[in-house]
Amino acid sequence: MREGQGTGLPHSGAGEEHKTGSDPSATIGDSRAKRGRSRPVSLPEHLVQRFREAASEPGGTDTSRVARRYEELKAALEIIRQGPIATNSTIVSKDVCGPFIGLNKEPSRAQSDRPPRRREVSEDKLSHHRQLPVPPAKSGDRPGRISHELGRRRPAAVPMRDAQNRGGLLPSWDRGMEFAHTVTESIDVLTGIWACDAHANGQYRLLDFPFMPTALPNAARYWSTATTAEGLDRCAGRRIGMSDVAAVWAAVEVFRRLDDRFGGGRARITAVRYLHGEVTPLLKGSYSDRVGRRLFGAIADLTQLVGWMAYDVGEHGLGQRYFAQALRLARASGDHVFGGFILSRMSRQATYLDHPQAAVELGVVGREGAAGHATPTAMALFYSVEARGYGLLGDVRACTAALARAEQYLDAAKPGDEPAWSRFFDEAQLSDEFAHCFRDLGKPREALRFAERSLRLRRDSYARSKAFCHTVLATAYLQQGELEEACRTGRELIREVTRLQSVRGWEYIRDFRRRLAPYQRERAVREFDTWANARTVLRQ
Amino acid sequence: MIPAKEPLGAGPDPPSPAHENEREFEYFYYRHFRSLVRYLASLSGSARFVDDAAQEAMLVVANNWTMLGNDGSRRGYLFVTAKRELIRMLKRPESWCLPLDTERHDTAGSLNLAADWIESNIDVTSLLQELTPRQREAATLAWLCDFSEKQIAQTMGVKPGTVKAHLSRARRTLRCLTSSPSDLDEPGRDVQ
């Protein structure tokens, strides 16, 4: 079907059309030819034919897809004509077509008297991202905005899968949270996240996405129902061998050491760029099933590490997405124990963000999935994260039982047989877990004992863990009423955190200072506040 | 004077102006959406953001429907708006963040009309990419969207003579690209 026949008047002058315009075979330049300056030029017949075919619709009269597009547009129009949607941070539809439909004008009296429609926002004590139920309306948000609007308001009207593939930048909230059905889809999702994150250059578009507590049970459910192994052999692009996999493992080790020693902020961007620049081509290359499993295992480890770094710098939504995708890769690689470890990371994040029930669930699912395959250290780690969740819930019996099991398993561990990712879990770390649990259970004496033990045993390469342990120690002193000691430990904590790039560290400092607030009149606390303000004013 | 109320069952109520506008817009949409997608895909040589830009432009036209007057004006406005929207989208820094092959993935069964059109007309889009941007735009509007020279001139904001020149040079370039050496030597042909 040729379109535009007889439409005539785009601006004026219907019927004055020059016939040569719409016909590729037409010869032009006749007048110039008469003047001897040029000769007529025409296209070869086969090219003329090809252009005519290209101008016709390949689907003939099949307009179903255009019809679906039209339905999508109609729904968007309806939403926009309902007026701006007030949220706690932005007006959503104003950015779409505000200048054309008058949304930039001041609201009428009737509109301004009406209470704004707000989404329910769950407040959490540590995550400020959670207070943003929609992404901030920046000018760059337009691609995919229609689908985003529709997906949020009318889930049935928009195929989100299509929206994700349209090149629209992260149009849906659960972008990155999905567990792709096939490995190929998983690679697409993961490489897309790496690409966006690596090129963000400080304008963290991905960071606008909030932590989603409701997605935590999904991860547990996904892992507990994942059964069959997948074939990973792939034939496309350059050949990938074990040397490539070894290079990824080496990179993982380097980034892990950097993270442990200097905090997540120091190496996160470098790690993401490594994933985007070096690892993406590996994923899209050719490899056998055996190499593919090793490769996916290594990449899963690096991805969870980047997620851990994001969590450490307070980007919880981003961290959660990295963990979810790492879990998907771990499933593809068939490493159930490592999958359990990722769930333990998610559990730790849930504990930090005050979701103890989800933390326990994730810990239990991870442990049960790995049972029978996991090394003693890994099992001790799984029990310890479970105990942290119980500690936050205040369940003394379950917490101490899980800690006891963790201790038993760690006693049975044989150094050297452990996977690289579990080597950090030693006696010092277990003591640290004990201390955290007892602090949460309101048992300062035990917390103090285990925190001191942990600090005594802890190696210097785990500077961040040492700093966090100082928090527990300071809090335990405070709970016992020893203000002088608490403030002295608090000073040590601030000195250590200022050497790190860890938002979690600063959150711990804030937490400790909040606990100190009731004792503001005491001399030791006043001196500590003066000292701390001078050192933290730029960071708080 | 108040007209007498018609008795029930006298016939269907006449359509309201809003309803009429909606019907007109629907007709307009079905008539021009695909040619708009062709135009944008051909201009950029990629499916990236094409469908989004086309939808956004349609949205703008829908919101200014009565103001735009007749069908021809609406079509001209639609194409100009869509082009500007696409350029704006492609200029944004975050558009560089996407993998280049994003538009190639999983288009089967999806709504991405531009990707499908490029897929089935890759030879045509490749040829058009050999032209200068102005020639490409003129050629696309003329040969793929069925615009007249006058309409092209008004859409591009140039004189009809300039459009003629662009089309002539486009033909010459395409002829050079697709002809064998023997054709080029043929007497009486100016292919340069």
Side-chain angles (χ1 to χ4, degrees), chain A residues 166-189:
Chain A
R166 277 197 303 154
L169 193 66
L170 302 169
S172 67
W173 277 106
D174 56 354
R175 176 69 161 143
M177 286 305 304
E178 67 271 33
F179 296 100
H181 183 62
T182 65
V183 175
T184 312
E185 287 174 12
S186 174
I187 290 174
D188 289 344
V189 171

Side-chain angles (χ1 to χ4, degrees), chain A residues 124-125 216 347-364 385-395 440:
Chain A
D124 287 291
K125 63 177 185 183
L216 292 172
S347 167
R348 190 61 67 80
Q349 187 184 27
T351 307
Y352 180 76
L353 294 175
D354 205 9
H355 297 288
Q357 197 67 54
V360 170
E361 190 183 347
L362 287 165
V364 170
V385 294
E386 204 179 314
R388 287 286 293 274
Y390 285 128
L392 208 58
L393 282 171
D395 189 340
D440 293 338

Side-chain angles (χ1 to χ4, degrees), chain A residues 115-146:
Chain A
R117 282 171 287 169
R118 287 178 185 274
R119 296 184 63 187
E120 287 183 11
V121 181
S122 62
E123 299 285 346
D124 287 291
K125 63 177 185 183
L126 294 176
S127 170
H128 66 281
H129 289 300
R130 216 170 308 175
Q131 297 168 16
L132 300 174
V134 297
K138 296 169 188 170
S139 57
D141 257 343
R142 193 167 300 195
R145 174 55 69 85
I146 292 175

Side-chain angles (χ1 to χ4, degrees), chain A residues 15 26 50 108 110 157 181 211 215 218 227 233 295 333 369 380 448 454-455 465-466 489 492 500 502 518 535:
Chain A
R50 190 65 196 87
S108 66
H181 183 62
F211 179 79
N218 289 351
T227 48
D233 52 324
L295 181 67
S333 71
L448 193 66
S454 173
L455 285 171
S465 302
K466 273 183 93 166
T489 315
E492 190 63 32
L500 301 171
S502 168
R535 278 152 188 81

Side-chain angles (χ1 to χ4, degrees), chain B residues 76-96:
Chain B
Y77 186 76
L78 173 74
F79 276 65
V80 172
T81 309
K83 186 176 80 172
R84 287 182 185 158
E85 190 60 41
L86 181 65
I87 290 169
R88 201 155 43 221
M89 286 176 177
L90 290 171
K91 273 186 177 173
R92 288 192 189 118
E94 59 265 27
S95 71
W96 312 334

Side-chain angles (χ1 to χ4, degrees), chain A residues 3 8-10 20-21 57 166, chain B residues 31 35 38 72-73 142 149 151:
Chain A
E3 291 172 321
L9 7 146
T20 51
E57 304 307 334
R166 277 197 303 154
Chain B
R31 194 169 183 188
S35 79
R38 280 202 299 271
S73 301
E149 275 177 8
Q151 290 168 336

